[in-house]
Amino acid sequence: MSTGCASAAEQPLQIAITIDDLPVHGPFPKTVSPEDVAHEVIAALKAEKVEAYGFVNGYWTERDPSTAKVLQAWKDAALPLANHGWAHRHLSEISAAEFEQELLKNDPVLKPISTGDWRWFRYPYLDEGGSPEKRAASREVLARHGYKIAAVTMDFSDWAWTAPYARCMDSGNAAGVARLEETFLESARENISYFRQLSKTVYGRDIPYVLLLHTSAFEGKMLPRLLKLYRDEGFTFVSLAQAEADPAYADQTSPDLPAEPQGLERKASAKGPLPSRTDYQPILESMCKA
């Protein structure tokens, strides 16, 4: 049974912003670099006074040392960084020992550069192992090393716009870019309603949500409008720690506790059919192709 409980009074809407795949989430348009993206994303966050967590794959700083400038830019902006696994590997495809190596190899990258608590972990691909045994083994590793899990309770697959945007930009397709902008905001708005419905099914209330985003060129372009959308929908931005202080996240902040079903969708599906939502991926995959 969930540790969250319904409140008699309506709670204010709160959301924490988290951004995966630092320092590189591509492909990029030919004229854009990871450092360009970082500066755009940081500028949008600072303008809205949002304390977003960035989740790091340290592998990139070894493969391309120039990408360390992205992490330095986050540090200079006093934005915290945390752990997304060294090389963004699927947990379901590696052993518990390999998972521990993926976790700890990032620590020397994060210790000197994060301006906050870097012992938050975001599972790559949100893959928690594919079996109760593998999931339990990963949670034991996280608990033993003092890590908390950065859950995801709001999402709209923003990563799916990354490659189409690069194609549209490189081909000079302005109409395609405009359509991407339109569908991106449509999807974000639709998924606010979707995840709020799930939260009310599971908890009888709005929990503080944790939003998953990615550090792409399109994200850099769209983030000012996206943050405005959430404000217009009534959300206040809070930190990851503030959001996950809610009892709904108890098994995430304390991985030594028994694991609940992963995510709002799995929890809500135990209570009945999930609400419908638009699948934008077939549209996106066809856009700006030669």
Side-chain angles (χ1 to χ4, degrees), residues 1-288:
M1 177 178 292
S2 167
T3 54
C5 57
S7 171
E10 190 71 21
Q11 297 295 311
L13 288 172
Q14 297 181 329
I15 194 165
I17 306 297
T18 62
I19 301 180
D20 280 11
D21 296 0
L22 271 72
V24 175
H25 176 81
F28 298 93
K30 292 174 184 175
T31 58
V32 179
S33 72
E35 196 172 357
D36 294 333
V37 171
H39 288 302
E40 281 193 313
V41 168
I42 288 167
L45 295 172
K46 300 301 282 186
E48 290 291 335
K49 299 180 172 58
V50 174
E51 185 200 282
Y53 253 93
F55 285 85
V56 174
N57 304 120
Y59 156 84
W60 284 103
T61 63
E62 185 177 274
R63 178 178 172 177
D64 179 0
S66 71
T67 62
K69 295 177 183 177
V70 170
L71 306 185
Q72 184 63 47
W74 276 66
K75 180 180 181 180
D76 292 345
L79 291 167
L81 299 168
N83 201 326
H84 197 31
W86 174 254
H88 204 273
R89 298 179 69 187
H90 275 283
L91 175 58
S92 58
E93 297 174 356
I94 59 178
S95 68
E98 289 173 312
F99 172 74
E100 188 166 22
Q101 291 170 2
E102 282 285 300
L103 179 76
L104 298 183
K105 196 170 182 180
N106 254 356
D107 284 1
V109 175
L110 293 168
K111 283 179 184 178
I113 208 145
S114 182
T115 57
D117 179 3
W118 48 269
R119 285 193 174 93
W120 287 92
F121 181 75
R122 168 68 51 72
Y123 285 94
Y125 307 102
L126 304 184
D127 178 359
E128 296 197 14
S131 71
E133 295 77 16
K134 185 159 273 193
R135 188 180 186 209
S138 73
R139 290 171 63 88
E140 187 278 327
V141 169
L142 292 170
R144 181 155 39 87
H145 291 289
Y147 270 88
K148 301 171 287 295
I149 298 166
V152 174
T153 48
M154 190 168 287
D155 181 21
F156 63 99
S157 298
D158 69 311
W159 57 267
W161 277 259
T162 301
Y165 177 65
R167 294 195 302 267
C168 290
M169 286 294 290
D170 288 344
S171 63
N173 191 330
V177 171
R179 178 62 177 148
L180 290 174
E181 294 174 3
E182 179 184 0
T183 55
F184 187 83
L185 295 174
E186 283 176 0
S187 183
R189 186 177 292 107
E190 180 182 4
N191 278 280
I192 289 171
S193 298
Y194 178 79
F195 282 100
R196 289 190 67 193
Q197 280 184 263
L198 298 187
S199 181
K200 290 176 180 179
T201 296
V202 176
Y203 299 107
R205 63 185 174 94
D206 281 297
I207 62 171
Y209 298 93
V210 179
L211 176 67
L212 169 61
L213 300 175
H214 293 78
T215 180
S216 71
F218 194 57
E219 201 79 64
K221 177 182 178 65
M222 295 301 295
L223 193 53
R225 279 178 277 179
L226 186 64
L227 295 176
K228 181 179 184 301
L229 185 153
Y230 286 105
R231 283 210 194 274
D232 289 347
E233 291 289 326
F235 285 94
T236 297
F237 298 115
V238 297
S239 70
L240 178 61
Q242 286 173 308
E244 293 209 25
D246 188 277
Y249 295 96
D251 73 318
Q252 305 295 290
T253 55
S254 299
D256 54 335
L257 294 176
E260 295 187 9
Q262 182 187 356
L264 285 176
E265 287 183 299
R266 285 188 175 91
K267 291 181 176 76
S269 65
K271 297 175 178 287
L274 297 177
S276 62
R277 57 175 170 167
T278 305
D279 180 6
Y280 285 91
Q281 290 197 41
I283 300 169
L284 298 173
E285 287 171 4
S286 67
M287 290 188 64
C288 297

